[in-house]
Amino acid sequence: MRFPISIPSPDISYLQLGPFQIHFYALFIITGIVIAIALTARRLTRRGASPGIVLDIALWAVPFGIIGGRFYHVITHPGDYFYPGANLWRTLYVWEGGLAIFGAIIVGSIGIFIACRRSGIRFLSFADALAPGMLLAQAFGRLGNYFNQELFGTPTTLPWGLQIDSSQPAFPADLPANTLFHPLFLYEILWNLAGAALILLVERRTPLRWGQALGLYLIIYGVGRAWFESFRLDPTELLIAGMKINMLTALLTALVGLTLVLVQRRRHPEPELSPYLPNRGIRPSDPVTQSVSGPARRPATDS
């Protein structure tokens, strides 16, 4: 049964090009990554970093983030992957959906930290530049969840209820086939877009440096995700004190963000003059020399 007013779910989740399947989930993930890299590069370059350095860091951050996101998803949904006769290779089938943002943040941050140390960029300076782009990337990623019909909330009678095919594995077995659900993918898209806009707006009024933009990102996403988890139909099997691990992690994420903002505002009232670590990169007072094979550097007499 189809409703005259509701959000239909797509009938396809991939394109078949000869022997290849191009999954929309992967396309939206890639699109989000490209947008995040482009925005971060623009923001970090305006703060004094060499052009191209964001791409160098992304080459570390993206694979670390994908590995972390997939690992977190698999360990919080063990029943989907570990059972008698299971194909364990499916734990690697990222294109089927299942990249947990919390795992991507944690492990991706390790990749960013390593790359920042190699490049001479402050980790918090890079994270501040990344914050709004990260929310945009997450918004695009949720479109992939929509095509996979894998992110929805409790049943609803609201006009914007989401149609889910009853044949989908995540469809609750005890509900009628014509049940509509809260479109959590859409809620989170709107929340993330609003969060990115808020960070950019706040930065017009007051500088968010020394990790404060990162802290605001963690608050925004943590609060929103905790709310969405409260009515998300999700087969997460890992519970702590009766609370879903994703909700607990979201609340801790918001708390870490608030602590980061308060501590850094007190520790660093001074402006951030450069995104580089001490004695690395370019100081605002230094003349700039440009190498053909690399980024701008300080004159050799300073070394």
Side-chain angles (χ1 to χ4, degrees):
M1 178 177 179
R2 294 297 180 183
F3 295 81
I5 302 178
S6 61
I7 301 176
S9 286
D11 295 326
I12 60 173
S13 61
Y14 61 88
L15 294 175
Q16 191 72 41
L17 298 178
F20 301 103
Q21 287 185 351
I22 309 298
H23 290 260
F24 293 118
Y25 182 84
L27 289 177
F28 284 117
I29 291 290
I30 293 171
T31 300
I33 290 173
V34 170
I35 290 174
I37 290 174
L39 180 58
T40 303
R42 179 182 179 186
R43 287 164 55 81
L44 199 63
T45 301
R46 291 176 62 182
R47 298 178 188 191
S50 299
I53 204 167
V54 169
L55 184 58
D56 294 337
I57 296 174
L59 292 176
W60 284 78
V62 172
F64 271 68
I66 292 175
I67 292 170
R70 186 60 177 178
F71 179 77
Y72 186 101
H73 170 77
V74 170
I75 64 173
T76 55
H77 299 77
D80 292 345
Y81 302 97
F82 307 106
Y83 52 85
N87 178 10
L88 296 182
W89 287 109
R90 287 192 61 247
T91 60
L92 305 178
Y93 293 176
V94 177
W95 54 87
E96 291 184 352
L99 283 177
I101 186 60
F102 293 123
I105 291 174
I106 295 170
V107 182
S109 295
I110 297 174
I112 291 174
F113 181 81
I114 294 172
C116 283
R117 297 295 294 185
R118 289 167 56 90
S119 304
I121 294 288
R122 286 191 181 93
F123 171 80
L124 290 180
S125 297
F126 182 86
D128 283 340
L130 173 63
M134 186 70 177
L135 286 168
L136 293 178
Q138 290 169 227
F140 273 89
R142 288 312 186 194
L143 284 173
N145 295 135
Y146 169 57
F147 276 88
N148 281 356
Q149 300 192 40
E150 61 184 355
L151 182 59
F152 51 91
T154 52
T156 182
T157 57
L158 293 171
W160 54 83
L162 177 66
Q163 301 171 15
I164 298 293
D165 292 337
S166 58
S167 60
Q168 289 294 320
F171 193 96
D174 57 340
L175 292 178
N178 61 357
T179 302
L180 296 180
F181 301 90
H182 280 286
L184 282 194
F185 83 93
L186 179 60
Y187 296 168
E188 191 165 327
I189 287 174
L190 296 176
W191 180 268
N192 290 340
L193 292 177
L198 177 62
I199 292 175
L200 295 174
L201 180 62
V202 171
E203 283 188 333
R204 287 190 174 186
R205 299 178 177 273
T206 180
L208 293 176
R209 301 291 191 271
W210 305 105
Q212 293 178 52
L214 169 63
L216 184 54
Y217 159 78
L218 295 175
I219 294 171
I220 291 170
Y221 189 73
V223 170
R225 182 61 182 268
W227 175 45
F228 300 142
E229 286 292 330
S230 67
F231 59 100
R232 177 180 179 179
L233 291 183
D234 180 67
T236 300
E237 300 168 37
L238 185 56
L239 302 176
I240 298 179
M243 182 181 295
K244 289 194 298 184
I245 183 62
N246 285 342
M247 180 179 290
L248 180 61
T249 304
L251 293 173
L252 290 176
T253 296
L255 180 60
V256 169
L258 178 60
T259 302
L260 183 62
V261 170
L262 295 178
V263 170
Q264 292 299 88
R265 285 184 68 86
R266 183 172 181 177
R267 289 183 59 187
H268 292 285
E270 75 280 8
E272 181 186 276
L273 300 179
S274 171
Y276 285 97
L277 291 164
N279 300 319
R280 302 285 295 272
I282 309 166
R283 291 195 303 257
S285 59
D286 289 335
V288 175
T289 59
Q290 183 68 37
S291 169
V292 174
S293 60
R297 296 184 175 88
R298 292 196 322 228
T301 54
D302 283 358
S303 58

